[in-house]
Amino acid sequence: MPTSPRHIPFVGRVQEMAELKVALDDALVGRGGLVMLAGEPGIGKTRLTEELTAIAKDRGALVAWGACYEGGSAPPYWPWTQVIRSLLTEPSVAVMNALETRGAVIADIVPEIDDMLPDMQPAPEVDPTQARFRLFDSVTSFLNEVAISQPVILVIDDLHWADRSTLELLEFVARDVATRPMLLVGSYRDMELSRQHPLSETLATLARARGFRRIPLWGLGSEDVGRLVEAVGGIRPPPALIDEIHDRTEGNPFFIVEVTRDLAREAAVRGGNFDSVGSFRIPEGVREAIGVRLNRLSEECNQVLRTASLLGRVFDFALLAAVMADPSEDVLPDLIDEAIVSGAVREVPGTDERYEFTHALIHETLAEELPTRIRTRLHARIVDAIETIYADRLADRSAELSFHCAEAGTMVAENREAHYARMAGERAVTAYAWTEARAFFEQALEALGTSASPADRAAILFGLGRSELQSLSYPDIQRGWDNVARAFDTYEEIGDSRAAVEVAIRSQHGEAAHVHGTARVFSRALELVPSESVEAGHLFRLHGCAIRYEEEDAAGSLKALERALEISRHTGDRRLETGVLADQSEFSHRDFDDDGAVELGLQAIELAREIYQPFEEATSHFIVAVALVALGDPDGAWLHTEAQIRLHEKIGRSQATPLYVQYIIAYLRGDLSTMNEVGGVLESESPGDTVQLMLVGIGAWHVGNRSGLGERIRAAREDVTTGPLLLQRVNNLRYLALASRLMNSPADAIWAGEIARSILSMTEITPADEANARIAAGLAAVVTGDAKEAVEHHQRLKNLRGSGIGWGFPICADRLLGLLAHTGGMPEEAQSHFEDALKITAKAGYHLEFAWTCYDFAESLIDSDEPAGIEKAISLIDDGLEITREHGLVAIEERLIGLQETAASIATPTPSYPRGLSAREVEVLRLLATGRTNREIAEDLVISARTVERHISNLYTKIGVRNRAEATSFVLARLAAPPTP
């Protein structure tokens, strides 16, 4: 007799099981891991996992299962909801203790926690991005604490059907699993993945985690097929038949079981002998095999199963009975029993009468059999049935209802679909599942009928815009704000001030620099609230940022932020205070007050840590880092970038911003290995950020890799002409002007100069954007030799003197001023600026910028055509070449060599020093003889202390001395008199 469907034996998989047992052993002793089982439908992923979890239970582990379902009828995070519910079914004391401090947050995705903890205080409100992180962190902390008391095995089946939020939470939980007594097991159909599939990106992320294993499952071998056929069919068939089954099924266990059951039935009819069924026809595919099984059921049973398939992989008996017009509830249990006996469905353990299709393939096959006309009618009846049976829990089933409404099409009223899609979207927003919320609100807006009220339309627009602001990237994010503004305007038109203010405040998204049209909304909202209220404080902050970027109103922005800070301290809103301090720090740096930026940023960091605001803390680390780069403290800046990276890893943010600063530091230092390492990651993190791509392209140009820079320049040009915000345009423009200077391209410089001048002609512009536009225009004037314009920009930028490196831009301000002064015919000012730049870059260890300063300074001296200038230029070129050769900076080395040849061709005869000493070497020796230290010599000659050390080491060998005393004697004896001409 064939084996019962609930007792299919476990056959084969020796190697795969061995790998899983190793992962289990590691997890049980605290070295957790993540295993992904991949294979085609029916290959045995779930069966293999069941075998593993049975072993885990025997060894004392907790096991929790979750599954993803096809079709979009499940709410966001559904597998995680199932996992947590599983752990809460019969919770231990440890589980309840772990839940107690986190239940208010986790209840957003597991509502029944509210009933389990009736005295629980609601979680405090935070901004949406922070709230999403808090949810992820709470789920992860809950699971980790449970695992400490008892090892945990978490299983999530069918990840190819997972929503994006489920996958993002999986990535978050997986980060720390390697150090916990926890094993995550996932399964997916690899045949359904494309590069664009959300799971593909998640798998790439998970593969970088410690303890990750991917186990592909292939068909069983011929010998294992024979064992499975014998175990399922109850008799050993002849070898030829085993080989044919193996060939036709390709070793797919589910297919083999279906074929074997059919074969066993036919053999039983013929006396139980497999030898007598030589003419047995093996189905062409697994779906045909399933069809053979279903054909043996009564038509009434098939009708019930086809209807049940529309309810999902798991279905409620009560709901199925309500949808079925016939048979009656008296007959339906018998038909379900018939399906259970056949192995098509099984009962789900628990108090509710629920059933599950035993395999996804059976569920899919049945659903595909229904004609469209019948399918749409059934979906409409399902909506009616859910409304009747679950009238008091419709919000919990809103995702299901919106799905069935969409499938029913015109069989349900359009506003009905809009109602449930909006409800599902609002539930998704509550769980911070922004991508899924966006889809629901889009469905609601599309389904909204012409008779809908303005308030309903505004609510949907607000939900859509808010979810778009959280889930879209630049430039698409503008679409989100446009929908928010439409919602605000609608609420204002109908006189609902409270809702309008809520729209304005709750649409915070941290992307003020990437959207436009916000200032008007925040200004109007401020008129609708009391001037001293907390709401006014948040709106003043939002308005201050908006007018800074949109209206170039720096003074008004600072005034609004000061007002917001006053309100935050008066009302005790420390979250608002932290955000305002971070904004003030950023704007101080943009206005070239880097000391102020560091002071404010450190205050924001300290306060953010006290009240646990990791997002504001991360932002403040970034501002402090770029300010420290400008102040010549790259080591301090690097520490802040590392702190930001750690925070971004924890909160799941892109690493692009801290990596950008790290690349700037590596670039200035001429650190090629770090540039290469960070640049590769930066490009993968921000493939659409033209500013960062320009920076990395220019860095590659310096080491001789000039391919691809042209394409980057074209993309940046496009952003300069189409970018909606001035900040974006001037940032790109600076790099385009820099590229024209590096590659000596007058045509590109002319274009950049024209755009920069048009920006400078604007009536309203912030000091930072004006300075950056002048930087671009100034570099363009240097390339084209426009003396008049160079003088103008020099005069306007003189306040940058001594400010180091400007906002995220790898040029020393004094070198730029030196270039402008030289181009403008002001040699004394140029020399003073260049000498300051040499001191700043040498002290900070900015080797690449030091080498460029040597080049620019030397070039200006050669242009002066004075003998003393030529001699100094030759020394500068020597210093620059030493740096470039040490660091492999081939592009600037080529320029210096060319300049060296020019200097040599016009130089006066070099004085003859003994032992072939150069003028620079004599300078070093004479300073050494006066008793100066290496650092003092470096400061006098404006070179690095390391260069001085190399000079001295070479000099000792050249003049045949061993120490400073002997070198001093040599100077007194041989260098006291002037050199021989």
Side-chain angles (χ1 to χ4, degrees):
M1 290 293 293
T3 305
S4 163
R6 297 187 67 85
H7 297 89
I8 301 298
F10 183 70
V11 173
R13 305 298 186 204
V14 175
Q15 180 178 341
E16 294 90 340
M17 198 66 223
E19 282 192 65
L20 286 171
K21 285 180 178 178
V22 169
L24 176 61
D25 290 341
D26 287 343
L28 293 177
V29 295
R31 298 190 302 271
L34 174 64
V35 177
M36 285 287 140
L37 303 177
E40 66 182 25
I43 203 66
K45 302 180 290 294
T46 302
R47 183 67 186 87
L48 180 61
T49 308
E50 288 173 343
E51 193 71 12
L52 174 71
T53 55
I55 296 171
K57 286 180 179 178
D58 287 343
R59 298 182 63 180
L62 272 174
V63 174
W65 281 73
C68 310
Y69 296 137
E70 185 181 20
S73 60
Y77 306 109
W78 181 243
W80 291 105
T81 300
Q82 293 172 288
V83 162
I84 296 170
R85 282 175 174 168
S86 177
L87 294 173
L88 298 179
T89 302
E90 295 180 1
S92 63
V93 173
V95 169
M96 291 307 297
N97 288 340
L99 182 67
E100 187 172 355
T101 57
R102 307 171 181 93
V105 177
I106 301 176
D108 287 336
I109 63 172
V110 188
E112 52 265 43
I113 290 176
D114 289 325
D115 297 328
M116 297 178 69
L117 302 172
D119 298 327
M120 179 176 63
Q121 294 297 312
E125 185 175 352
V126 295
D127 65 78
T129 309
Q130 173 85 7
R132 180 180 171 89
F133 163 72
R134 184 176 63 182
L135 171 64
F136 283 19
D137 190 48
S138 296
V139 171
T140 303
S141 301
F142 167 71
L143 295 173
N144 288 342
E145 188 172 330
V146 171
I148 290 172
S149 65
Q150 185 177 0
V152 173
I153 314 300
L154 303 179
V155 180
I156 300 183
D157 251 344
D158 295 324
L159 280 167
H160 51 278
W161 287 326
D163 58 81
R164 189 174 293 274
S165 295
T166 289
L167 296 176
E168 289 170 350
L169 181 50
L170 173 61
E171 292 176 30
F172 197 98
V173 173
R175 287 174 190 163
D176 296 330
V177 73
T179 59
R180 304 286 190 269
M182 184 187 302
L183 180 62
L184 297 178
V185 182
S187 69
Y188 65 95
R189 298 179 184 177
D190 50 1
M191 61 182 287
E192 300 198 10
L193 297 194
S194 64
R195 284 189 300 172
Q196 289 73 38
H197 196 289
L199 181 57
S200 295
E201 184 177 339
T202 293
L203 291 173
T205 300
L206 296 177
R208 296 193 290 268
R210 274 197 303 146
F212 176 82
R213 290 177 173 90
R214 179 183 180 275
I215 303 179
L217 299 185
W218 310 103
L220 299 175
S222 183
E223 189 174 332
D224 288 331
V225 169
R227 282 198 288 268
L228 183 58
V229 169
E230 183 176 357
V232 172
I235 191 170
R236 179 78 177 176
L241 185 54
I242 292 295
D243 291 340
E244 186 179 357
I245 293 172
H246 174 261
D247 292 343
R248 295 290 292 276
T249 64
E250 297 182 339
N252 182 295
F254 181 80
F255 196 176
I256 294 167
V257 169
E258 292 300 304
V259 168
T260 302
R261 289 188 183 285
D262 195 34
L263 181 61
R265 290 188 187 93
E266 188 163 335
V269 171
R270 307 190 181 204
N273 188 348
F274 275 106
D275 291 328
S276 64
V277 292
S279 61
F280 174 75
R281 181 174 109 39
I282 297 176
E284 290 297 326
V286 68
R287 291 190 186 276
E288 184 184 342
I290 292 170
V292 170
R293 179 199 295 206
L294 296 175
N295 288 339
R296 290 198 168 89
L297 298 173
S298 66
E299 178 53 32
E300 291 81 3
C301 183
N302 269 287
Q303 183 181 348
V304 166
L305 293 180
R306 283 192 287 267
T307 302
S309 71
L310 297 187
L311 299 176
R313 174 84 183 271
V314 178
F315 56 92
D316 298 346
F317 179 86
L319 183 58
L320 177 61
V323 173
M324 296 291 299
D326 186 44
S328 68
E329 286 195 28
D330 294 334
V331 178
L332 189 56
D334 294 335
L335 297 175
I336 294 294
D337 286 342
E338 182 183 349
I340 291 173
V341 171
S342 75
V345 300
R346 61 185 168 221
E347 192 170 1
V348 176
T351 54
D352 298 334
E353 194 174 358
R354 300 167 70 232
Y355 299 89
E356 177 184 28
F357 289 98
T358 54
H359 200 281
L361 285 170
I362 297 174
H363 173 237
E364 293 167 32
T365 301
L366 284 160
E368 291 169 3
E369 290 181 354
L370 283 166
T372 303
R373 176 176 52 81
I374 297 175
R375 182 196 300 267
T376 55
R377 266 207 298 266
L378 284 172
H379 279 296
R381 284 163 62 180
I382 291 170
V383 174
D384 293 337
I386 293 175
E387 288 178 333
T388 301
I389 299 173
Y390 306 107
D392 58 339
R393 288 180 288 161
L394 293 182
D396 293 343
R397 306 191 76 126
S398 54
E400 193 178 349
L401 282 161
S402 67
F403 168 76
H404 289 299
C405 282
E407 292 295 310
T410 58
M411 301 295 293
V412 297
E414 53 189 11
N415 283 350
R416 203 170 170 197
E417 179 183 352
H419 171 73
Y420 289 122
R422 171 188 165 187
M423 189 183 291
E426 288 167 350
R427 288 298 295 262
V429 165
T430 302
Y432 320 110
W434 303 112
T435 302
E436 293 71 31
R438 191 175 85 221
F440 284 127
F441 284 121
E442 285 173 346
Q443 177 188 349
L445 192 62
E446 185 177 348
L448 200 61
T450 55
S451 61
S453 70
D456 285 341
R457 184 173 296 276
I460 293 171
L461 285 169
F462 173 44
L464 176 58
R466 189 181 179 198
S467 58
E468 286 174 328
L469 286 172
Q470 295 294 333
S471 61
L472 296 178
S473 56
Y474 174 80
D476 296 332
I477 193 172
Q478 181 62 42
R479 194 165 74 231
W481 179 259
D482 292 343
N483 283 321
V484 166
R486 290 165 64 193
F488 178 88
D489 291 342
T490 301
Y491 280 128
E492 257 209 311
E493 289 169 6
I494 63 177
D496 192 341
S497 299
R498 183 196 60 77
V501 170
E502 183 180 7
V503 165
I505 293 177
R506 294 178 69 85
S507 297
Q508 298 181 57
H509 53 88
E511 296 290 347
H514 290 163
V515 294
H516 55 92
T518 63
R520 174 188 67 83
V521 169
F522 297 137
S523 177
R524 288 287 303 121
L526 275 167
E527 298 174 9
L528 304 175
V529 297
S531 60
E532 301 295 324
S533 63
V534 172
E535 292 81 3
H538 285 280
L539 288 168
F540 273 120
R541 180 195 173 192
L542 293 167
H543 188 247
C545 293
I547 60 176
R548 170 83 188 203
Y549 291 117
E550 291 183 39
E551 301 175 6
E552 295 294 312
D553 183 359
S557 173
L558 292 175
K559 184 178 179 181
L561 290 177
E562 284 293 339
R563 190 78 185 88
L565 190 62
E566 290 173 8
I567 293 173
S568 73
R569 289 170 175 169
H570 175 71
T571 61
D573 191 331
R574 303 183 78 196
R575 183 166 65 91
L576 175 59
E577 181 182 359
T578 306
V580 174
L581 287 171
D583 293 336
Q584 290 179 322
S585 173
E586 177 181 345
F587 294 157
S588 293
H589 177 66
R590 288 193 183 277
D591 292 335
F592 301 98
D593 176 14
D594 290 304
D595 289 314
V598 171
E599 181 181 354
L600 288 163
L602 292 176
Q603 289 179 37
I605 289 169
E606 182 179 357
L607 186 56
R609 286 174 176 167
E610 287 179 14
I611 62 175
Y612 195 54
Q613 288 281 99
F615 289 86
E616 302 290 7
E617 183 186 348
T619 299
S620 300
H621 277 299
F622 171 71
I623 302 302
V624 171
V626 291
L628 289 175
V629 171
L631 293 170
D633 183 6
D635 292 334
W638 194 274
L639 291 176
H640 281 280
T641 64
E642 289 182 330
Q644 187 183 9
I645 285 172
R646 288 193 295 271
L647 284 165
H648 278 204
E649 286 175 346
K650 186 173 184 180
I651 63 183
R653 268 192 168 181
S654 166
Q655 303 292 5
T657 50
L659 289 175
Y660 179 72
V661 183
Q662 288 192 349
Y663 194 92
I664 290 280
I665 295 170
Y667 176 98
L668 292 167
R669 284 173 162 170
D671 182 352
L672 302 188
S673 62
T674 302
M675 285 168 63
N676 185 55
E677 178 185 352
V678 174
V681 180
L682 192 58
E683 289 185 305
S684 66
E685 288 274 343
S686 302
D689 191 319
T690 51
V691 172
Q692 295 184 4
L693 293 178
M694 280 293 295
L695 171 63
V696 175
I698 287 171
W701 180 89
H702 275 88
V703 297
N705 181 8
R706 301 178 185 184
S707 63
L709 186 54
E711 183 60 37
R712 294 168 194 254
I713 288 172
R714 283 189 289 275
R717 274 193 173 212
E718 178 70 18
D719 243 16
V720 166
T721 55
T722 63
L725 292 178
L726 187 59
L727 173 68
Q728 297 157 337
R729 301 203 297 274
V730 296
N731 281 343
N732 277 291
L733 199 58
R734 289 183 308 174
Y735 279 105
L736 289 167
L738 175 59
S740 75
R741 160 71 177 159
L742 294 175
M743 297 184 291
N744 194 27
S745 173
D748 289 334
I750 291 170
W751 183 88
E754 289 175 351
I755 299 293
R757 285 191 294 275
S758 70
I759 291 172
L760 292 169
S761 67
M762 296 171 59
T763 55
E764 294 289 343
I765 187 169
T766 63
D769 285 335
E770 179 186 356
N772 287 324
R774 288 197 182 281
I775 289 170
L779 284 169
V782 169
V783 177
T784 59
D786 189 328
K788 181 180 178 181
E789 190 164 344
V791 170
E792 178 192 347
H793 297 311
H794 178 270
Q795 292 301 109
R796 295 296 188 92
L797 293 172
K798 278 197 303 185
N799 64 309
L800 300 185
R801 183 166 194 166
S803 63
I805 308 298
W807 174 263
F809 192 59
I811 284 187
C812 179
D814 282 281
R815 176 163 79 93
L816 173 64
L817 290 169
L819 284 167
L820 291 170
H822 171 62
T823 305
M826 300 179 286
E828 292 182 2
E829 288 93 333
Q831 181 166 336
S832 177
H833 287 309
F834 283 133
E835 286 174 347
D836 286 346
L838 287 173
K839 292 174 184 176
I840 291 169
T841 54
K843 183 178 180 181
Y846 293 156
H847 305 300
L848 176 57
E849 186 62 7
F850 179 86
W852 269 112
T853 304
C854 288
Y855 175 86
D856 291 334
F857 195 0
E859 188 176 47
S860 71
L861 291 169
I862 291 171
D863 287 347
S864 70
D865 203 24
E866 295 182 5
I870 299 298
E871 183 178 340
K872 185 174 181 63
I874 290 172
S875 294
L876 286 166
I877 292 168
D878 288 342
D879 290 341
L881 282 171
E882 186 173 4
I883 290 289
T884 58
R885 286 166 178 164
E886 178 184 352
H887 292 276
L889 303 169
V890 295
I892 179 62
E893 181 184 359
E894 290 174 4
R895 294 287 185 87
L896 285 163
I897 290 172
L899 198 60
Q900 187 180 52
E901 293 171 354
T902 301
S905 69
I906 61 175
T908 56
T910 304
S912 176
Y913 291 109
R915 307 287 176 90
L917 294 172
S918 68
R920 175 50 61 93
E921 289 172 331
V922 170
E923 281 185 285
V924 172
L925 276 173
R926 284 177 170 160
L927 289 169
L928 183 149
T930 65
R932 280 175 166 76
T933 64
N934 287 3
R935 181 166 293 281
E936 289 170 336
I937 295 172
E939 291 174 356
D940 287 343
L941 298 180
V942 197
I943 56 179
S944 69
R946 189 174 175 186
T947 298
V948 173
E949 290 174 7
R950 284 195 298 271
H951 273 312
I952 292 174
S953 177
N954 293 335
L955 284 168
Y956 282 178
T957 302
K958 207 168 189 178
I959 65 178
V961 302
R962 292 171 296 177
N963 52 48
R964 282 177 173 256
E966 293 180 5
T968 301
S969 299
F970 177 86
V971 170
L972 294 174
R974 304 294 300 276
L975 296 177
T980 303

